[in-house]
Every structure is written in structure tokens, then in C-alpha cells.
Amino acid sequence: MWFINTAIVASRVHSAVAPSCRRVFVSTRAVMAKSKFEYVRDFETDDTCLAHCWVVVRLDGRNFHRFAEKHNFTKPNDGRALELMTRCAQTVMTELEDIIMAYGQSDEYSFVFKRKSNWFRRRASKFMTNVASQFASSYVFYWKDYFKDQDLLYPPAFDGRVVVYPSNQTLKDYLSWRQADFFWMLIQRSQLTPAQAQERLQGTLAADKNEILFSEYNINYNNEPPMYRKGTILIWKKIKEVTSKEIKLPGETEEKKVEVTRTRTKPVALHCDIIGDTFWKEHPEILEDDS
């Protein structure tokens, strides 16, 4: 941005100065645009995501077990923490480009970019760093809205990864995997490590998992709130907003307060099943044609 502004200033001054002085500006621009040091760009890695593929950025809270303990999160689930995560995800979707939907549970969120997105020339590093930085800064910014009586003791951190999925089915399978992967609940309510919990649940069906949760940990999975059972899906929806505005009507001398209805498109939170076909049939606009 500094270079662009400098060039604009230089071009404006160029027309106002004597011909003998003009070469100074031209040579300065040439040095800035092309120098002997520019070869270092050859060491940059090409991280362009494959074309015509869904780009998914998944964030995970780094060392959030310790973070939750230090900040007195309610066990086994803290509604404030989950709602804060969703607020951050909505901000990411609003501030960044081409995110078609997001899915979150516990301390993770996945953001799905459009298959045809050419944002930042589809560079994986740009996708990940923009999502991670926007999410982390939003977490700090909105903290007090959800934890009014709890100070933020130290900055939270989120690690991220970028994965591309070549078809609608592989994307749906990825999101199904994240929704089905609820062994974190078992971890939160027991003393098992992530590896021990994974081993305990390995090879079990949904009914088996429900039985394990109930018989061993007295958890009735079906009685859990939808947000805890299904996680949070964020999709774009048109929302009608009613606001008050003072306007002067024709033929009248004083302004009157009237209600104005506007339609805005916003990321809206849902807590439903995305493993079956019902969700995708109800929202066909999400998936793009595979052809």
C-alpha cells in the first residue's frame, strides 16, 4: 500500500517539476519495483489449492483443556464458551470472502470455501492465516460479552489446517465425520486422555457409544441439548430486520419515527443433523454442481 501511494504522489509531482528533476522519481520507482534482492521470492512455496475443489479450513483451540480450567469453564459443557465460538465464526464468515458454511463443536470450527473461490489466488496460507487471525482476535474482542465476570487471563491460540475435497460427497463425508466425532464429550466427562477415549470407542456403532455414555458415565445422550449433541452449523439466510428511523413525510413539518424493514443476509446458527440427506435437501444452494 505504501508503494502504491508513493507512486501516486510521485506521478502527481512529476507533472509539476522541472524536466531535470523528473528522472529522480522514475529511477526511484524502478528500484522499488525491481531490485537485485527480488530473487528471494523464488524460495516461496507454491501452496495453491487445487482448482474446482472445496477448500476447508479447520481451527482447533490450542491447549484448550488448560484454557478451560484456568477460566473456570462449566463442566462438562459451557454454553457461554460455545456461543462465543459461534460468534467468532459468524464474524469470520461476515468479514472474509467466499465462505459458504461452517460447522463447529467443542473448541473447533470448520469453514467451507466455495469450490470456485479465487480468493487470494487460492493460496492455502492466505486461507488459513486470515481465518485463524480473524477468529482469534474476535475471541478476545467478544470475550466480555459472554464472560462478564471472568477476566481473560491470557491470549487464546488456535491452530489451523487446510484440506481440499474434490467432490460434494467427500465434503459431506468430512462434515459427517466431524459431527459424529463426539468422543470429546467422553473426554470432558471422564478422566480419559484423548488416546484412551479413542481406543475405548474404536469400532463401536452409535448405539454402542450411547450405551457406553449411559452405563459408564450416566450420560443420556438423547437428553443433551441439540447444541451439545449436534454442534453448530452456520449457513447464510435472509433475515428481516425492523429498525426505527425518523423521516419527514410529504406535507408535514415535523419528522416522525417510522419502522423500516430491511432484508439482510447473515450467517445463522442451526443445531441439526448433517449426516443424513434431509439437511442437504432443505438447503440445496450450499452444494455446487459436481460437473
Side-chain angles (χ1 to χ4, degrees):
M1 197 67 187
W2 179 87
F3 170 73
I4 294 174
N5 291 340
T6 304
I8 293 173
V9 172
S11 64
R12 289 177 178 172
V13 176
H14 180 274
S15 60
V17 298
S20 60
C21 300
R22 291 178 185 174
R23 282 174 290 181
V24 175
F25 294 104
V26 175
S27 61
T28 302
R29 287 181 61 185
V31 170
M32 293 177 66
K34 191 79 173 178
S35 74
K36 66 178 182 179
F37 306 112
E38 193 175 15
Y39 78 94
V40 297
R41 296 186 62 183
D42 296 336
F43 293 95
E44 295 183 7
T45 302
D46 181 11
D47 61 348
T48 304
C49 293
L50 289 174
H52 309 297
C53 291
W54 297 99
V55 178
V56 175
V57 178
R58 186 167 91 236
L59 299 184
D60 292 274
R62 185 168 64 83
N63 200 8
F64 250 55
H65 289 296
R66 175 176 177 269
F67 185 89
E69 290 178 0
K70 293 292 184 181
H71 291 88
N72 301 311
F73 281 15
T74 302
K75 294 181 179 181
N77 295 293
D78 194 309
R80 301 168 301 171
L82 295 175
E83 289 171 1
L84 173 57
M85 291 283 290
T86 295
R87 178 68 177 275
C88 297
Q90 289 172 319
T91 303
V92 169
M93 292 181 66
T94 302
E95 295 297 326
L96 305 187
E97 296 180 17
D98 291 348
I99 299 176
I100 193 67
M101 69 175 295
Y103 174 75
Q105 53 123 317
S106 188
D107 64 342
E108 72 168 57
Y109 246 99
S110 296
F111 299 89
V112 181
F113 285 82
K114 296 177 181 178
R115 293 181 71 168
K116 298 178 182 178
S117 174
N118 197 37
W119 193 49
F120 283 110
R121 299 180 182 177
R122 295 180 68 85
R123 292 177 60 186
S125 56
K126 291 293 187 179
F127 282 125
M128 185 170 61
T129 54
N130 274 277
V131 170
S133 61
Q134 185 71 61
F135 195 98
S137 60
S138 299
Y139 199 94
V140 175
F141 186 82
Y142 292 118
W143 174 265
K144 274 299 181 181
D145 291 350
Y146 298 89
F147 291 87
K148 301 183 185 301
D149 300 323
Q150 172 65 59
D151 290 334
L152 187 61
L153 303 179
Y154 61 89
F158 297 86
D159 62 61
R161 70 199 69 189
V162 177
V163 185
V164 294
Y165 294 98
S167 67
N168 290 347
Q169 189 58 53
T170 53
L171 175 66
K172 290 165 64 176
D173 288 345
Y174 165 77
L175 293 169
S176 297
W177 170 50
R178 299 320 304 153
Q179 188 170 69
D181 185 30
F182 69 91
F183 76 86
W184 56 270
M185 181 187 296
L186 184 59
I187 298 171
Q188 288 180 318
R189 298 197 181 192
S190 66
Q191 301 301 315
L192 299 183
T193 65
Q196 290 171 332
Q198 189 170 11
E199 182 180 357
R200 181 67 183 88
L201 295 175
Q202 188 173 7
T204 58
L205 301 175
D208 300 326
K209 293 181 174 69
N210 292 345
E211 178 60 28
I212 292 172
L213 291 174
F214 183 75
S215 62
E216 298 184 18
Y217 303 101
N218 198 29
I219 301 170
N220 191 327
Y221 177 73
N222 294 323
N223 290 342
E224 292 293 310
M227 181 168 61
Y228 301 156
R229 290 189 290 113
K230 301 298 183 181
T232 301
I233 304 105
L234 294 177
I235 62 173
W236 293 100
K237 276 194 171 185
K238 291 183 178 180
I239 303 296
K240 288 185 178 181
E241 295 181 343
V242 180
T243 58
S244 297
K245 186 177 181 181
E246 291 189 354
I247 61 173
K248 185 182 291 186
L249 299 174
E252 297 188 7
T253 58
E254 296 183 358
E255 291 185 340
K256 286 189 176 181
K257 186 176 290 186
V258 296
E259 289 188 345
V260 179
T261 302
R262 295 178 178 177
T263 301
R264 298 180 182 273
T265 304
K266 292 185 173 183
V268 175
L270 304 176
H271 310 291
C272 60
D273 180 79
I274 55 176
I275 297 177
D277 293 329
T278 302
F279 171 82
W280 303 104
K281 289 179 179 178
E282 292 177 350
H283 306 283
E285 72 283 357
I286 295 176
L287 298 179
E288 299 177 15
D289 191 354
D290 264 339
S291 60

